[in-house]
Structures are given as structure tokens and as C-alpha cells.
């Protein structure tokens, strides 16, 4: 399949497409595959299905003072023709298509949206309209530039082409609603070559309801209406369509605040403004106009009730805080001013990221999974707190966040932030170690409580979340080489590791320092395992190994030696006792009720009751929610982390490979409709996917197994798929990725909204790991080293993007030659290895300028790079996997 065609959504395949536009932690506006603006999640919380009044774009063509045609810039409506449930009374289900969708007005007979993320290209065509319209929609997505990537703005470039044989005067209309909680004040300004229509609420600027929303264009000729006509019934849209369907400029309409404001028949009290951009285009030519929508809702608050209580006395912390973007820009107009002033840079770097993705030799399904899930950090899943700290929900309910607190065992999986926005990833480490770690014991809750500083949750520490923070600290240090940062957080990291045997660990993970977890072990599947298992013990072993290296780096040789000794003991025991010859199992006696007795029940669990109510089934005579002899998808997940971060072999390579192959054999299903699934349904009927846990023939299956066993959860699947790639099973790994993305092809689900516990689910960003695995990317910036050893090629070559904690760029490898380019940030490196051939950075051909030398390192800035030549550079011995 043509690569461009793979990322093109048209007709039925555009039905569910919604492409989010916004800033990191700033909320977003979605643009549908039909061009409709929806999901206005700009008010510091999710808002799936919201439409912001009658907000839309439209276009008119006229010649010699006569209107040829006027159309809304929408494709065919593909929603429910009976209506939807989100509308208000008399404009909801049973009343026809919701009026805010503008489906009652002429639109275009075809609309195609093309990706990949982060730029959407929409093509509109209709044989009745004299010309074509192309729209490129994006928000700044600049790796290493978290401030610019956090702008609360959606940017649009409309290109109108006159396909007729005579000149046409075109007008592009941008209609913007102001659905504020209170009255809105509409203003117009013309400055810096722009025309801007703005609305702000009459709330105090310190109120959580204070809002600003603006639309602006740098078109040379503009006109505008500050207000829709105020009337009743259908008057407003009736008059609006008359206004934009007559030739010439718009005549301004303005009501002062004393004028009566009447509700539209839809029940909406939103004001609306219309900005018109006028273009005269000769036959056969095209013109482009820029439009941006910016928002400013500066004050956030905790609108939800936490699932757990706080330890200690309540702290007097203000309940309202500023959004990060409100500390960087003074209002929507300031956002617009910078977005237009820096438009070329913002658009150029965002397009460059898309270009590098499209130019890569990654298989289509892998590129699809990687690029689509870059969008998650641009949705309401994400907040940025006043000091810039990154905060994430797990996902989104339709109108609220789903599962608060930057949940460590969920955010463990994602690999986008550490490699593209490393400062934000480090802010998560710092927040966890500052606010989530209990003094004394070192135990860490896995949900960050807001407002920041209010206290620590009483929820019990979680094995994969706690030790995942240790592994991520190691990764973040190796990505930057920042020893000062490591020394700053090291006491917290050390305490997190030592919690395993700390006397105050009421779950008794490993009191004897055996290297094996034997106690009550909470985990990301929301309950606890009792008894040793490779999944969670692997995290423990990897944390010990990483801790040993970090201890050595900060000068604590005795600590390093102790961790290494515990690690060696535990590793040996794990391989000898948990591997069944094919895969790793849990060592547990399901019939032993007594193993529950040592554990308290009232120490932080979201399900209340006695330990026996929670975990014992009298009817079955078994402990509930265990794996036992099952083949669980995450059984060797620790090796995924270790391999990505350069930690080496946590599991014996042969046993790791055997376990991964066993998961594919037993858990991967080509037809999910043949599997009984009492859990959440993320795949069905003819769709394929990888089950969370399977019990092969002859294996004892618990009567009530570990939760979610029969589900297919995408972040887990991506981590597993890239483990297959790690062991050379490339076709199978790509098949696993493709199985997920085939469930998100537009006709069935939204390609830009992978779901798990809600929309835009964070764990799906595990897909980015495939970039690292397939490029064989290794890094140790503490030593100034990076390396590439690609696992696949296309037509005898390899190309991909790369990123460290300080820079990102592209690498292109052909037989005997490699070209490494820095696109953003600064690369501080001493040596580079390509396909096993090592080059000193100061002894290679460079381009784009001469690198600075500092402490035996070469410093490469954007536009600079290296040309590496050696007969040993070759990927020709690797499998050739064409785009699928």
C-alpha cells in the first residue's frame, strides 16, 4: 500500500476520526475527518462531543458581484440522523441531526483527512463549487521545546485554488462561538497585520470560570461581525446564512451589554462572531490564508473527589492554581501574537516531525501506532501545573479525567515524554519523589494528589509503579548524563529500593533481602499477587541492577555492591524456580487461605472489606485474582525496560526469548470473537489482538483469575510487540502492532483516540518504544555515547528519527555510509556507533558548521551533523520488511 494512502481517511473511514489540536497541558480542539470542529476540551477538563455553539469554517465564491456558491467547510455528515444524546431538549436524540453540526447547510461532497500526526491535511471538493479547498491544521509540536508545544492554540492554513477559467473572489469565514459560564464581551482589534475577534467572560480574572477565546487572521483584506443576530426560534442562523451568502464584505453587527440577549431555539446562550478573509484569485492559481484559534482559561481547580484519603493532617493549600500556559502568556491575544510572529518556525518544525516520521523506514503499522499516539499529550488527559510540572490522568471520561494522579504504573509504559520532552518527564520524577514518597519507609503511593503539596495518598505502594520510578530515574539520567540531577534525587531513589525490605513495609515484599518478592504485591491490574512471579520480581531485579549502577555513579560503592549481591541472588532464583521450560509462572498455592492472614486490609485499597472478602472464594476454595500457571503478557516486561535503557539482561536471553514466543503462541488471537471476554471489550468479532493472560492446555486456571485477563489493552500489546522485535521476531511484532491499529482505522474507532480506562489513554504511548528497538538505538550520555544497530531495512537502507534527553534528529544509513542530523536541541557526544563500527565524534566529517569542543565532547546544534563512512556500516544483513 502507498504510504500516503495508509494515512488517508475518507468516506466511511473518516466516520470516527477526530484529530486533536492543542497544547501540552492546555487542552485541545478536535477537527473531524469531515472538517467539523468538535471536542472543545479547552476548559481544563474533558468534554467529548462538545461543539462550542455553531463554530465552523465556511467558504464563498463570487464573481463580478454575483455569488457563485457558499458552503460550510464540512464533508458529508456521518453521525446519527436521528440525533445525539448530548444535545439539549428539543435538539437531541429524536429531533434530527443536532443543529450545531451545521448539517442543514450546503457542504462539500467529499472531504479527506490525511496524517500522520501532528499535521492534519484536509481536502475539500465538490463539483458544484468553483474551486478546491485544502486545509492544513496543526498545533506546535516541537520536540525539546515544551514551552512552545504547550501553546493553547490551533493553527489553520487554508489554500483555495481557482480551478475555473476566470478570476474569482473567495471569502473564507471563521465562525466562533463563546460558550462561557457567564456573559461574554466581544471585541475586535487590528494590529500587527492581523484582524482578531475575541471574547472574554465577565468573571473576575482569578475565577475558575474566567475564559478567553479568540480567532485571528493575517489576511490582507478582512471583514467581520461581532455578533450573530439576536432573535428567537431559528433567527440567528437564518440571518447568518443570509449574511455570508450575499456578495461583498460582512457588515458588522454589535450589541452592547445592555441589549437583551435571547436564547437560540437550541437553548444555547453562546454569542458568536464571524471573521471573513477575502481573497481574489486568478484562474488556475491558488492563495493561502492563515487563521488561528487561541484560548485562555488560566485558572484550574480540583473538580473531582479523590479515590483515596491523605496521610496526616490536611494542609492549607489553595484549591485554585494557574495553568502553566498562564504563566507564559498574558491572554489569548498574547498567544496569537507569538503564534503568528513565529508561524514559520512553529509550522516548519511541526511539519518536520511529520516529514521525519513519513520518511522513516518503519513499517506502516508501527509508524501509525507511534505517530497517532503522539497526540495523547495534546489532549485533556494532560495538565501542566503552575510551575510547569507535567501531570496526567490515565485517560478521559467524557466530561472528567479518568483515574487521577500521573499513575506511575500506567505512565511506566509511555516512552514519548522522556525522548521528545525530557524536561517534562523529569518533572514527573521530581514530583513523585517530592510529594508521593513517605518519609522514613521510602514507600511511594502511585497517584499524585492535587493541589500540589496537599499531601500524600494513603493508597498502598505499588510494585511496578515504585520500581518503575527507579528505572525511569536511571533512564532519565542516562538520556542526559546529568550527574548533578541524579545526585539530587538519589536519596529518594535509594529509599524507594530499600522499601522492599524496610520494617514499615506492611506488605512484606522482601524482608530478608532475598531478591525475591514474596509478599502482597499491588500492581497495574488493580489487585494484588501473593507469591513470587517474574512480572513484578523482574521490576524489583531491574531496579536493583539500575540502583547499583546509580549508586556507583554517585560514589556509594558499598550500596552498589549490596544491590548487586541481592540482584544476583534474586535473578538466579527466578530462573531456577519460575521458568517452566517455556515461560514464567507465578509460584502460588491457590488453595492456601492462610497465606492471606499476614496482611492488613485497611491500608489503602480502593475495594474495602476484609482480606478474605477481597481475595478468598469460599465456593471455589481458592485465592482470587492470581496468575498461577498462566502465560501473562507482562511476565518479562522488566526486560523491555532494561533493553530500552541499556541495562543489559535481567532475564537469561534464552528464557526471555522463549517466554516472548510463548506469549505470541498462547495469547495472540487472530479472531477475538472466538474468545469469551467478561471484561471490557476493546476488540471483538474478526478483530485480532493479544490477551492479557492465557492458560495453555494442561495449565491450571484459577477459577477467578487476575483482573482483565481476557482484555486486549493496547499499551501492553505495544510493549509485547516490541519485545518480539527485540528477539528478532519482526514479522510477529509488526503483526501485533497492526492488530491494534486495525481496530483504529476510522470506520470502527478514532485513529487518534486509543482507549483503555477512558479516551486518549496514556499507556498507548508505549508504541514509541518501537522506534528505539527497530533502530537499535542505545544511549549513555553520562559517557557521551549513542549507537544505532537497525533491525530492519527497506530497499537496502534504514532511516528513522532519534532523540536523547537533549536533542533530536534523523539518522539515515545506507551500505557504507550514515548521515546523522541534529534537528532540535543540542547533542553533546564523544562517540557514535553505527552497526557496530565506532567513530570518535571529533574525527569524523561534519556538516552544517563546525562543532564546539568541550571536555572531550563535540557539541552539535540544530542543522549540524555527521557523515560517517566505513565499509562495515551495513544493514543489508538485516530482514527487508516492506511497508504493509
Amino acid at each position: 500500500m502507498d504510504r500516503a494512502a495508509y494515512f488517508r481517511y475518507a468516506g466511511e473511514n473518516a466516520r470516527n476520526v477526530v484529530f486533536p489540536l492543542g497544547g501540552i497541558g492546555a487542552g485541545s480542539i478536535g477537527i473531524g475527518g469531515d472538517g467539523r470542529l468538535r471536542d472543545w476540551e479547552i476548559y481544563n477538563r474533558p468534554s467529548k462531543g462538545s461543539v462550542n455553539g455553531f463554530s465552523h469554517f465556511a467558504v464563498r465564491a463570487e464573481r463580478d458581484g454575483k455569488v457563485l456558491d457558499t458552503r460550510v467547510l464540512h464533508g458529508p455528515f456521518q453521525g446519527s440522523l436521528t440525533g445525539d444524546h448530548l444535545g439539549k431538549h428539543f435538539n437531541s436524540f429524536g429531533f434530527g441531526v443536532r443543529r450545531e453540526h451545521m448539517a442543514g447547510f450546503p457542504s462539500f461532497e467529499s472531504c479527506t483527512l490525511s496524517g500522520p500526526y501532528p499535521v492534519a491535511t484536509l481536502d475539500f471538493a465538490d463539483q458544484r463549487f468553483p474551486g478546491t479547498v485544502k486545509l492544513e491544521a496543526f498545533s506546535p509540536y516541537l520536540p525539546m521545546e515544551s514551552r512552545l508545544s504547550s501553546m493553547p492554540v490551533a493553527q489553520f492554513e487554508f489554500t483555495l485554488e481557482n480551478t475555473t477559467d476566470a478570476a474569482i473572489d473567495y471569502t473564507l469565514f471563521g465562525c466562533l462561538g463563546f460558550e462561557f459560564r457567564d456573559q461574554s464581551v466581544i471585541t475586535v482589534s487590528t494590529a500587527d497585520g492581523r484582524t482578531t475577534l475575541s471574547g472574554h467572560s465577565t468573571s473576575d480574572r482569578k475565577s475558575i470560570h474566567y475564559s478567553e477565546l479568540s480567532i485571528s487572521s493575517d489576511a490582507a483584506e478582512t471583514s467581520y461581525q461581532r455578533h450573530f443576530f439576536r432573535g428567537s426560534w431559528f433567527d440567528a442562523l437564518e440571518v447568518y446564512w443570509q449574511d455570508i451568502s450575499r456578495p461583498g464584505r460582512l457588515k458588522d453587527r454589535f450589541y452592547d451589554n445592555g441589549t437583551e440577549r435571547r436564547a437560540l431555539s437550541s437553548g444555547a446562550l453562546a454569542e458568536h462572531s464571524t471573521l471573513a478573509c477575502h481573497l481574489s484569485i486568478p484562474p488556475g492559481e491558488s492563495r493561502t490564508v492563515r487563521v488561528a484559534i487561541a484560548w485562555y482559561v488560566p485558572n484550574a481547580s480540583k473538580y473531582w473527589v479523590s479515590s483515596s484519603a491523605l496521610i496526616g493532617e490536611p494542609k492549607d493549600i489553595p484549591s485554585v492554581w494557574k495553568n502553566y500556559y498562564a504563566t507564559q502568556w498574558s491572554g489569548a491575544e498574547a498567544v496569537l501574537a507569538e503564534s503568528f510572529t513565529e508561524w514559520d518556525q512553529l509550522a516548519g518544525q511541526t511539519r518536520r516531525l511529520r516529514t521525519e516520521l513519513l520518511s522513516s523506514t518503519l513499517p506502516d503499522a508501527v509508524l501509525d501506532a507511534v505517530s497517532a499516539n503522539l497526540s495523547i499529550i495534546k489532549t485533556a488527559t494532560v495538565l501542566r501545573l503552575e510551575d510547569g510540572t507535567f501531570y496526567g490522568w490515565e485517560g478521559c471520561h467524557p466530561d472528567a479525567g479518568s483515574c487521577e494522579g500521573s499513575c506511575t504504573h500506567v505512565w511506566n509504559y509511555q516512552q514519548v515524554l522522556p525522548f521528545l520532552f525530557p524536561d517534562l518527564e523529569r518533572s514527573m520524577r521530581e514530583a513523585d519523589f517530592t510529594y508521593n514518597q513517605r518519609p522514613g519507609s521510602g514507600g511511594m503511593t502511585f497517584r499524585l494528589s492535587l493541589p500540589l503539596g496537599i499531601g500524600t495518598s494513603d493508597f498502598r505502594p505499588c510494585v511496578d509503579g515504585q520500581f518503575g520510578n527507579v528505572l525511569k530515574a536511571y533512564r532519565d539520567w542516562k538520556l542526559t548524563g546529568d550527574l548533578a540531577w541524579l545526585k539530587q534525587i538519589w536519596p529518594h531513589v535509594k529509599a524507594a529500593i530499600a522499601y522492599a525490605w524496610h520494617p514499615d513495609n506492611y506488605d512484606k515484599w522482601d524482608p530478608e533481602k532475598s531478591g525475591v518478592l514474596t509478599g502482597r504485591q499491588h500492581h497495574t491490574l488493580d489487585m494484588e499477587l501473593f507469591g513470587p512471579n517474574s512480572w513484578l520480581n523482574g521490576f524489583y531485579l531491574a531496579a536493583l541492577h539500575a540502583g547499583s549502577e546509580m549508586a556507583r555513579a554517585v560514589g556509594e560503592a558499598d550500596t552498589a555492591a549490596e544491590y548487586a549481591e541481592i540482584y544476583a541472588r534474586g535473578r538466579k532464583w527466578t530462573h531456577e524456580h519460575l521458568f517452566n521450560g517455556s515461560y514464567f509462572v507465578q509460584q502460588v498455592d491457590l488453595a492456601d487461605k492462610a497465606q492471606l492472614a499476614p496482611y492488613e486490609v485497611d491500608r489503602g485499597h480502593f475495594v474495602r472489606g476484609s482480606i478474605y472478602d477481597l481475595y478468598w472464594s469460599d465456593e471455589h476454595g481458592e485465592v482470587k485474582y492470581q496468575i498461577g500457571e498462566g502465560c501473562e503478557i507482562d511476565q518479562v516486561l522488566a526486560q523491555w525496560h532494561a533493553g530500552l535503557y541499556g541495562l543489559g539482561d535481567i532475564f537469561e536471553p534464552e528464557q526471555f526469548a522463549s517466554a516472548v514466543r510463548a506469549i505470541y503462541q498462547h495469547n495472540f488471537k487472530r479472531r477475538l470473537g472466538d474468545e469469551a471476554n467478561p471484561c471490557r471489550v476493546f476488540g471483538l468479532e474478526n478483530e485480532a489482538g493479544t490477551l492479557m493472560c492465557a492458560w495453555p492446555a494442561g495449565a491450571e486456571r484459577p477459577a477467578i483469575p487476575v483482573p482483565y485477563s481476557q482484555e486486549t489493552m493496547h499499551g501492553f500489546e505495544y510493549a509485547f510487540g516490541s519485545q518480539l522485535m527485540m528477539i528478532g521476531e519482526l514479522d510477529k511484532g509488526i503483526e501485533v502492532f497492526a492488530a491494534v491499529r486495525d481496530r483504529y482505522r476510522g470506520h470502527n474507532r478514532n485513529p487518534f483516540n486509543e482507549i483503555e480506562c477512558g479516551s486518549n489513554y496514556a499507556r498507548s504511548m508505549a508504541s514509541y518504544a518501537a522506534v528505539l528497538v527497530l533502530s537499535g538505538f542505545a544511549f549513555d550520555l553520562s559517557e557521551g555515547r549513542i549507537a544505532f544497530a537497525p533491525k530492519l531495512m527497506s530497499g537496502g537502507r534504514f532511516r528513522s528519527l532519534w532523540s536523547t534527553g537533549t536533542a533530536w534528529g534523523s539518522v539515515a544509513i545506507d551500505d557504507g555510509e550514515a548521515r546523522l542530523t541534529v534537528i532540535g536541541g543540542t547533542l553533546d557526544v564523544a562517540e557514535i556507533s553505527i552497526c557496530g563500527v565506532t567513530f570518535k565524534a571529533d574525527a569524523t566529517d561534519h556538516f552544517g558548521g563546525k562543532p564546539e569542543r568541550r571536555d572531550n565532547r563535540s557539541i552539535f546544534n540544530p542543522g549540524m551533523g555527521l557523515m560517517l563512512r566505513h565499509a562495515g556500516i551495513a544493514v543489508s544483513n538485516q530482514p527487508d520488511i516492506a511497508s504493509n
Side-chain angles (χ1 to χ4, degrees), residues 818 820 839-847 860 865-869:
L820 184 77
F839 300 84
K840 295 294 182 183
D842 62 343
T844 57
D845 294 334
H846 54 263
F847 56 85
F860 295 87
L866 297 167
M867 183 67 75
L868 310 172
R869 297 179 178 89

Side-chain angles (χ1 to χ4, degrees), residues 462-523:
C462 170
V463 173
D464 45 349
Q466 173 126 350
F467 293 136
N469 257 334
V470 174
L471 295 176
K472 291 180 288 190
Y474 176 84
R475 174 198 61 200
D476 298 345
W477 163 52
K478 289 290 186 176
L479 269 173
T480 63
D482 189 343
L483 184 59
W485 180 79
L486 177 62
K487 288 181 176 178
Q488 175 187 336
I489 67 167
W490 170 246
H492 299 280
V493 174
K494 183 178 179 180
I497 296 172
Y499 180 71
W501 52 80
H502 197 280
D504 291 341
N505 183 338
Y506 49 79
D507 284 331
K508 302 174 175 58
W509 287 352
D510 182 21
E512 304 301 324
K513 299 185 182 180
S514 66
V516 180
L517 299 177
T518 56
R520 179 179 183 171
Q521 303 155 56
H522 193 74
H523 53 75

